[in-house]
Amino acid sequence: MGKKLVKYCVVDAFTDTAFKGNPAAVCLLEEEKDDKWLQSVAAEFNLSETCYLIPLIEPANTNPRFGLRWFTPVDEVDLCGHATLAAAHFLFSYGLVKTDTIEFSTRSGILIAKRVPEPKASNSQDDWPTGYSIELDFPVVQVAETNFNDVLAISKSLNGASVVEINETSMGDHFILLPSGEEVFECQPQIDLIQNCPGRGIIITGPAPQGSGFDFYSRFFCPKFGINEDPVCGSAHCALAPYWRKKLGKCDFVALAASPRGGVVKLHLDDEKQRVFLRGKAVAVMEGSLLV
């Protein structure tokens, strides 16, 4: 009997232009696979995230539900925004769901993705038949002061960048405020030094220039998980939203992921429910079947 092929699609998330934003491989499974296989496939794709979908039997009159797991090239993670957006785009665009809402069962609980109609820009290059974005309902990631006081080590890891604040997220990342969005954009990370810093990774952020159309810029470096730079990190924005809520006194943001690939994330923070709603677009760039 021949092997069952596993359908996959590579999707660029938080962009409507191919080869921008953050790429994720989405694999649709018909049956559970062991963790070694899942990790091996993620290492083979060698993208910041490879995610795996498996259909779940949902109660009658509910939204379609899928199991969803995320793997970097070296490990499984608890929360990933861009691969969740990519998974939702895959299901919507290939007609694999008939509703505008999908539920994902994950390590971080039930996450919801909604298809939200919006006018398509006249210069858009996306592949959607009609204009829409995808909104993700995610938990807030807390940001708090840290007892790590080695500003010099952090600054050196960011090639001498001026460090205004050092905080820490509840996911174990250093959260660094730089003086401006321009400095975030121009930062030249020293990956070997970041690898040796305590904690999981480093988020850097700064206020966007006036007139830019954005509220803040950010970037995320996580070499310990096989990701030197995550081009647009959705889960980092779950920490960025409550942080900038305190700084700017508002709950709605347009954020630029200032990596070389770039990407745009629209955010709404629900303080009462401690949820972050991330909205973005995505575009499929390749598809095929795994032969293993």
Side-chain angles (χ1 to χ4, degrees), residues 119-138:
K120 182 185 289 188
S122 59
N123 63 345
S124 174
Q125 299 178 28
D126 68 44
D127 63 349
W128 295 326
T130 57
Y132 68 87
S133 59
I134 296 170
E135 182 179 82
L136 306 177
D137 179 350
F138 269 41

Side-chain angles (χ1 to χ4, degrees), residues 118-179:
E118 62 178 43
K120 182 185 289 188
S122 59
N123 63 345
S124 174
Q125 299 178 28
D126 68 44
D127 63 349
W128 295 326
T130 57
Y132 68 87
S133 59
I134 296 170
E135 182 179 82
L136 306 177
D137 179 350
F138 269 41
V140 161
V141 173
Q142 300 295 334
V143 179
E145 294 182 3
T146 177
N147 57 9
F148 182 74
N149 295 314
D150 195 345
V151 177
L152 182 60
I154 292 292
S155 179
K156 284 183 176 179
S157 73
L158 301 174
N159 202 35
S162 300
V163 174
V164 179
E165 291 180 17
I166 300 178
N167 297 292
E168 188 174 13
T169 76
S170 55
M171 297 184 74
D173 298 315
H174 284 304
F175 187 104
I176 310 301
L177 177 66
L178 301 186

Side-chain angles (χ1 to χ4, degrees), residues 6 29 33-42 52 290 292:
V6 174
L29 306 179
K33 299 282 190 179
D34 64 74
D35 288 4
K36 182 179 179 181
W37 186 91
L38 299 175
Q39 189 62 70
S40 296
V41 170
Y52 301 95
L290 301 176
V292 292

Side-chain angles (χ1 to χ4, degrees), residues 5-291:
L5 300 181
V6 174
K7 183 177 179 59
Y8 76 86
C9 184
V10 176
V11 177
D12 290 340
F14 293 113
T15 182
D16 63 1
T17 304
F19 315 122
K20 297 291 185 180
N22 201 353
V26 183
C27 300
L28 181 61
L29 306 179
E30 294 183 6
E31 57 188 22
E32 296 283 355
K33 299 282 190 179
D34 64 74
D35 288 4
K36 182 179 179 181
W37 186 91
L38 299 175
Q39 189 62 70
S40 296
V41 170
E44 188 76 7
F45 276 116
N46 199 32
L47 298 172
S48 59
E49 298 287 346
T50 295
C51 68
Y52 301 95
L53 290 167
I54 189 162
L56 302 178
I57 297 175
E58 67 271 2
N61 301 317
T62 63
N63 296 311
R65 181 172 290 190
F66 293 81
L68 178 61
R69 297 175 70 180
W70 311 280
F71 287 76
T72 77
V74 300
D75 207 351
E76 185 173 10
V77 297
D78 293 332
L79 187 66
C80 178
H82 87 275
T84 305
L85 191 148
H89 174 75
F90 170 75
L91 294 171
F92 286 136
S93 64
Y94 282 83
L96 298 173
V97 295
K98 304 303 181 184
T99 66
D100 288 328
T101 301
I102 306 168
E103 297 180 6
F104 296 112
S105 178
T106 77
R107 278 187 170 191
S108 293
I110 299 298
L111 305 178
I112 297 173
K114 292 183 178 181
R115 176 164 43 189
V116 181
E118 62 178 43
K120 182 185 289 188
S122 59
N123 63 345
S124 174
Q125 299 178 28
D126 68 44
D127 63 349
W128 295 326
T130 57
Y132 68 87
S133 59
I134 296 170
E135 182 179 82
L136 306 177
D137 179 350
F138 269 41
V140 161
V141 173
Q142 300 295 334
V143 179
E145 294 182 3
T146 177
N147 57 9
F148 182 74
N149 295 314
D150 195 345
V151 177
L152 182 60
I154 292 292
S155 179
K156 284 183 176 179
S157 73
L158 301 174
N159 202 35
S162 300
V163 174
V164 179
E165 291 180 17
I166 300 178
N167 297 292
E168 188 174 13
T169 76
S170 55
M171 297 184 74
D173 298 315
H174 284 304
F175 187 104
I176 310 301
L177 177 66
L178 301 186
S180 69
E182 291 94 336
E183 292 193 42
V184 172
F185 181 81
E186 295 168 0
C187 180
Q188 299 293 321
Q190 304 301 298
I191 298 301
D192 289 345
L193 296 180
I194 292 175
Q195 177 86 34
N196 293 326
C197 283
R200 187 182 70 156
I202 292 181
I203 301 167
I204 62 173
T205 189
Q210 288 189 353
S212 67
F214 299 102
D215 292 294
F216 59 84
Y217 290 3
S218 71
R219 294 170 70 183
F220 179 52
F221 313 109
C222 196
K224 292 178 183 177
F225 274 65
I227 310 166
N228 287 351
E229 178 165 4
D230 200 8
V232 191
C233 183
S235 61
H237 284 80
C238 294
L240 288 157
Y243 178 83
W244 285 105
R245 165 74 174 88
K246 294 178 181 178
K247 289 283 187 182
L248 301 178
K250 61 181 188 176
C251 293
D252 293 285
F253 309 94
V254 181
L256 176 68
S259 67
R261 286 178 64 103
V264 177
V265 185
K266 295 181 180 180
L267 301 160
H268 172 72
L269 174 66
D270 187 324
D271 267 333
E272 183 177 347
K273 295 182 179 179
Q274 288 291 285
R275 305 294 291 184
V276 178
F277 297 87
L278 305 94
R279 185 180 294 188
K281 292 193 171 188
V283 55
V285 295
M286 64 180 71
E287 61 183 45
S289 299
L290 301 176
L291 303 178

